[in-house]
Coordinates of all heavy atoms in Angstrom, one line a residue:
H30 N 96.4 -31.6 198.1 CA 95.7 -31.1 199.3 C 96.5 -31.5 200.5 O 97.4 -32.3 200.5 CB 94.3 -31.7 199.4 CG 94.3 -33.2 199.7 ND1 93.9 -34.1 198.7 CD2 94.5 -33.9 200.8 CE1 94.0 -35.3 199.2 NE2 94.4 -35.3 200.4
V32 N 95.6 -32.3 204.6 CA 94.6 -32.6 205.6 C 95.3 -32.7 207.0 O 96.3 -33.3 207.1 CB 93.8 -33.9 205.4 CG1 92.9 -34.3 206.5 CG2 93.1 -33.8 204.0
F33 N 94.7 -32.0 208.0 CA 95.1 -32.2 209.4 C 93.9 -32.3 210.3 O 92.9 -31.7 210.1 CB 96.0 -31.0 209.8 CG 95.3 -29.6 209.7 CD1 94.8 -29.0 210.8 CD2 95.3 -28.9 208.5 CE1 94.2 -27.8 210.7 CE2 94.7 -27.7 208.4 CZ 94.1 -27.1 209.5
A34 N 94.0 -33.3 211.2 CA 92.9 -33.6 212.0 C 93.3 -34.2 213.4 O 94.5 -34.6 213.5 CB 92.0 -34.6 211.3
N43 N 80.8 -36.6 218.1 CA 81.7 -36.3 217.0 C 83.1 -36.5 217.5 O 83.7 -35.8 218.3 CB 81.5 -34.8 216.6 CG 82.4 -34.5 215.4 OD1 83.2 -35.2 215.0 ND2 82.2 -33.3 214.9
F45 N 85.9 -36.8 215.4 CA 86.8 -36.4 214.4 C 86.7 -34.9 214.2 O 85.6 -34.4 213.9 CB 86.5 -37.2 213.1 CG 87.5 -36.9 212.0 CD1 88.6 -37.7 211.8 CD2 87.2 -35.8 211.1 CE1 89.5 -37.4 210.7 CE2 88.1 -35.6 210.1 CZ 89.2 -36.4 209.9
T46 N 87.8 -34.2 214.2 CA 87.8 -32.8 213.9 C 89.0 -32.6 212.9 O 90.1 -32.8 213.3 CB 87.9 -31.9 215.1 OG1 86.9 -32.1 216.0 CG2 87.9 -30.4 214.7
G47 N 88.6 -32.2 211.7 CA 89.7 -32.0 210.7 C 89.4 -31.0 209.7 O 88.3 -30.5 209.6
F48 N 90.4 -30.6 208.9 CA 90.3 -29.6 207.9 C 91.1 -30.0 206.7 O 92.2 -30.7 206.8 CB 90.8 -28.3 208.4 CG 90.1 -27.8 209.6 CD1 90.4 -28.2 210.9 CD2 88.9 -27.0 209.5 CE1 89.7 -27.7 212.0 CE2 88.2 -26.6 210.6 CZ 88.6 -27.0 211.8
K49 N 90.7 -29.6 205.5 CA 91.4 -29.9 204.3 C 91.7 -28.6 203.6 O 90.8 -27.7 203.4 CB 90.5 -30.7 203.4 CG 91.1 -31.1 202.0 CD 90.1 -31.9 201.2 CE 90.7 -32.4 199.9 NZ 89.8 -33.3 199.2
Q51 N 93.0 -26.9 200.2 CA 93.2 -27.2 198.8 C 92.9 -26.0 197.9 O 91.9 -25.3 198.1 CB 92.2 -28.3 198.4 CG 92.3 -28.8 197.0 CD 91.5 -30.1 196.7 OE1 90.5 -30.3 197.4 NE2 91.8 -30.8 195.7
F56 N 88.5 -26.3 204.2 CA 87.2 -26.8 204.3 C 87.1 -27.7 205.6 O 88.0 -28.4 205.9 CB 86.9 -27.8 203.1 CG 87.0 -27.1 201.8 CD1 88.2 -27.1 201.1 CD2 85.9 -26.5 201.2 CE1 88.3 -26.4 199.9 CE2 86.0 -25.8 200.0 CZ 87.2 -25.8 199.3
P57 N 86.1 -27.5 206.4 CA 85.9 -28.3 207.6 C 85.4 -29.7 207.3 O 84.8 -29.9 206.2 CB 84.9 -27.5 208.4 CG 84.0 -26.8 207.4 CD 85.0 -26.5 206.3
D58 N 85.7 -30.6 208.2 CA 85.2 -32.0 208.0 C 83.7 -32.1 208.1 O 83.1 -31.2 208.8 CB 85.9 -33.0 208.9 CG 85.4 -32.9 210.3 OD1 85.9 -32.0 211.1 OD2 84.4 -33.6 210.6
I59 N 83.1 -33.2 207.6 CA 81.7 -33.5 207.9 C 81.7 -34.9 208.4 O 80.7 -35.6 208.2 CB 80.8 -33.3 206.6 CG1 81.4 -34.1 205.4 CG2 80.7 -31.8 206.3 CD1 80.5 -34.1 204.2
E60 N 82.7 -35.3 209.1 CA 82.8 -36.7 209.6 C 82.5 -36.7 211.1 O 82.6 -35.7 211.8 CB 84.3 -37.2 209.4 CG 84.7 -37.4 208.0 CD 84.1 -38.5 207.3 OE1 83.4 -39.3 207.9 OE2 84.2 -38.5 206.0
D61 N 82.2 -37.9 211.6 CA 82.0 -38.1 213.1 C 83.1 -39.0 213.6 O 83.4 -38.9 214.8 CB 80.6 -38.6 213.4 CG 79.5 -37.6 213.3 OD1 79.8 -36.4 213.4 OD2 78.4 -38.0 213.0
F62 N 83.7 -39.8 212.8 CA 84.6 -40.9 213.3 C 85.9 -40.9 212.4 O 85.9 -40.7 211.2 CB 83.9 -42.2 213.2 CG 82.7 -42.3 214.1 CD1 81.4 -42.2 213.5 CD2 82.8 -42.3 215.4 CE1 80.3 -42.3 214.3 CE2 81.6 -42.4 216.2 CZ 80.4 -42.3 215.6
G63 N 87.0 -41.3 213.1 CA 88.3 -41.5 212.4 C 88.4 -42.9 211.9 O 87.5 -43.6 211.8
Q65 N 89.3 -44.1 209.0 CA 88.7 -44.4 207.7 C 89.8 -44.2 206.6 O 90.9 -43.6 206.8 CB 87.6 -43.4 207.4 CG 86.5 -43.5 208.4 CD 85.3 -42.6 208.0 OE1 84.9 -42.5 206.8 NE2 84.9 -41.8 208.9
E66 N 89.6 -44.8 205.5 CA 90.6 -44.7 204.4 C 90.5 -43.3 203.8 O 91.6 -42.7 203.4 CB 90.3 -45.7 203.2 CG 90.6 -47.1 203.6 CD 92.1 -47.3 203.8 OE1 92.9 -46.8 203.0 OE2 92.5 -47.9 204.8
E67 N 89.4 -42.7 203.7 CA 89.2 -41.3 203.2 C 88.2 -40.6 204.1 O 87.3 -41.2 204.7 CB 88.7 -41.4 201.8 CG 89.6 -41.9 200.8 CD 89.1 -41.9 199.3 OE1 88.2 -41.1 199.1 OE2 89.7 -42.6 198.5
Y68 N 88.3 -39.3 204.1 CA 87.5 -38.4 204.9 C 86.7 -37.5 204.0 O 87.3 -37.0 203.0 CB 88.3 -37.7 206.0 CG 88.9 -38.6 206.9 CD1 90.3 -38.9 206.8 CD2 88.2 -39.3 207.9 CE1 90.9 -39.8 207.7 CE2 88.8 -40.2 208.8 CZ 90.1 -40.4 208.7 OH 90.7 -41.3 209.6
D69 N 85.5 -37.1 204.4 CA 84.7 -36.1 203.6 C 84.8 -34.8 204.3 O 84.8 -34.7 205.5 CB 83.3 -36.6 203.5 CG 83.2 -37.9 202.7 OD1 83.9 -38.0 201.6 OD2 82.4 -38.8 203.0
F70 N 84.7 -33.8 203.4 CA 84.8 -32.4 203.9 C 83.7 -31.6 203.2 O 83.2 -31.9 202.1 CB 86.2 -31.8 203.6 CG 87.3 -32.4 204.3 CD1 87.9 -33.6 203.8 CD2 87.7 -32.0 205.5 CE1 88.9 -34.2 204.5 CE2 88.7 -32.6 206.2 CZ 89.3 -33.7 205.8
S71 N 83.3 -30.5 203.9 CA 82.3 -29.6 203.4 C 82.7 -29.1 202.0 O 83.9 -29.0 201.8 CB 82.1 -28.5 204.4 OG 81.2 -27.5 203.8
T72 N 81.7 -28.7 201.2 CA 82.1 -28.1 199.9 C 82.1 -26.6 200.1 O 82.4 -25.9 199.1 CB 81.1 -28.5 198.8 OG1 79.7 -28.2 199.3 CG2 81.2 -30.0 198.5
T73 N 81.7 -26.1 201.3 CA 81.7 -24.7 201.5 C 83.0 -24.3 202.3 O 83.2 -24.8 203.4 CB 80.5 -24.3 202.4 OG1 79.3 -24.7 201.7 CG2 80.4 -22.8 202.6
Y114 N 96.3 -36.7 212.9 CA 96.3 -37.2 211.6 C 96.7 -36.2 210.6 O 96.2 -35.1 210.6 CB 94.9 -37.8 211.2 CG 94.8 -38.3 209.8 CD1 95.3 -39.6 209.5 CD2 94.3 -37.5 208.8 CE1 95.2 -40.0 208.2 CE2 94.2 -38.0 207.5 CZ 94.6 -39.2 207.2 OH 94.5 -39.7 205.9
E116 N 97.7 -35.7 206.3 CA 97.7 -36.3 205.0 C 98.1 -35.2 204.0 O 97.6 -34.1 204.0 CB 96.2 -36.7 204.6 CG 96.1 -37.3 203.3 CD 94.6 -37.8 203.0 OE1 94.1 -38.5 203.9 OE2 94.1 -37.4 202.0

Side-chain angles (χ1 to χ4, degrees):
H30 67 253
V32 173
F33 58 98
N43 187 352
F45 181 93
T46 303
F48 299 89
K49 178 179 184 176
Q51 185 173 22
F56 304 88
D58 75 271
I59 54 173
E60 298 289 348
D61 286 335
F62 301 102
Q65 299 182 49
E66 286 297 314
E67 293 182 18
Y68 298 101
D69 291 321
F70 295 85
S71 172
T72 56
T73 304
Y114 175 82
E116 177 179 312

